[in-house]
Amino acid sequence: KDALDAIRSDPNNAKACERGARSLLLQNRLHEAFQFGQARSKGLSADQRAGAEWMPFVATAQRIGRHASTLQQMEQLLADGSKAQEVGEAWRIVCGVLEMEKLLSDSERSSPFGERLAFTKVRALLFPTPGRSGQAPEAREQWAKDALAEMDRLIKEKPRWPDSHHWRARCLLRLGR
């Protein structure tokens, strides 16, 4: 909120623009963050885009665009049950989430965006259909354990969030518990 107020009072404040864009990202307001990044980037001259003052904003705006596009593709794939036999697709999603998570600090991993990444990873880890995907039982068990560990981390942070308990239960079912 402070960064967005600073942008309203001075749209040429590069630091406020970068913080505002990052704030929208971490609030999981990807569409707004992407639109803001696009609009503000278009208003920058070539010299500003290349300058040190605006470089952090430009990098954040580009990062938001990549994250938004990648997450949309991941979530579309996970919503398509006909793809549940493709272990390779699930693994690519897990790796993609891990790459995005590397860019987050510990506190940012607890943000709504960080939580969205965690749920996407868990969904991918549980995505391959047992008995139909060709995934080895040992690998399936390890993936379910990894998903369970992720859900336990989320429940520790937000114990009253029903979605976390739902997905934790799915992990336990996959493990036969």
Side-chain angles (χ1 to χ4, degrees):
K1 185 177 181 323
D2 292 341
L4 298 176
D5 289 342
I7 294 166
R8 281 187 206 97
S9 68
D10 181 9
N12 290 314
N13 183 333
K15 187 181 261 188
C17 287
E18 190 276 331
R19 287 182 179 166
R22 193 164 25 101
S23 172
L24 291 170
L25 167 70
L26 294 176
Q27 292 174 52
N28 198 30
R29 294 165 56 187
L30 284 178
H31 184 70
E32 290 172 74
F34 179 72
Q35 286 183 323
F36 171 72
Q38 291 285 92
R40 190 63 197 101
S41 292
K42 285 180 184 176
L44 296 176
S45 70
D47 287 342
Q48 285 175 311
R49 269 192 293 268
E53 181 183 14
W54 283 95
M55 205 171 291
F57 167 76
V58 171
T60 298
Q62 290 171 347
R63 174 181 164 202
I64 289 167
R66 285 190 305 274
H67 287 348
S69 173
T70 301
L71 263 173
Q72 182 181 22
Q73 291 171 7
M74 289 174 176
E75 290 169 348
Q76 284 175 346
L77 183 76
L78 290 170
D80 184 355
S82 69
K83 304 278 189 200
Q85 296 178 29
E86 300 177 22
V87 175
E89 292 293 341
W91 182 245
R92 277 189 279 286
I93 292 171
V94 171
C95 291
V97 168
L98 292 171
E99 285 299 313
M100 285 188 249
E101 285 179 334
K102 282 184 198 174
L103 301 173
L104 301 177
S105 68
D106 288 342
S107 63
E108 291 173 337
R109 284 190 78 206
S110 298
S111 72
F113 178 70
E115 291 167 356
R116 181 178 180 179
L117 290 177
F119 275 105
T120 301
K121 181 171 43 175
V122 167
R123 288 177 59 206
L125 288 166
L126 297 178
F127 190 62
T129 305
R132 293 179 57 207
S133 66
Q135 186 181 35
E138 301 81 22
R140 184 172 43 256
E141 181 178 356
Q142 185 58 54
W143 283 29
K145 286 178 180 178
D146 292 347
L148 181 60
E150 190 70 40
M151 292 318 308
D152 285 343
R153 181 186 68 79
L154 287 171
I155 287 172
K156 186 177 179 182
E157 292 173 12
K158 290 187 177 177
R160 295 181 185 206
W161 198 10
D163 287 353
S164 297
H165 294 280
H166 167 84
W167 283 97
R168 185 175 190 279
R170 290 184 70 160
C171 296
L172 292 170
L173 284 171
R174 180 64 59 96
L175 290 167
R177 297 187 200 169

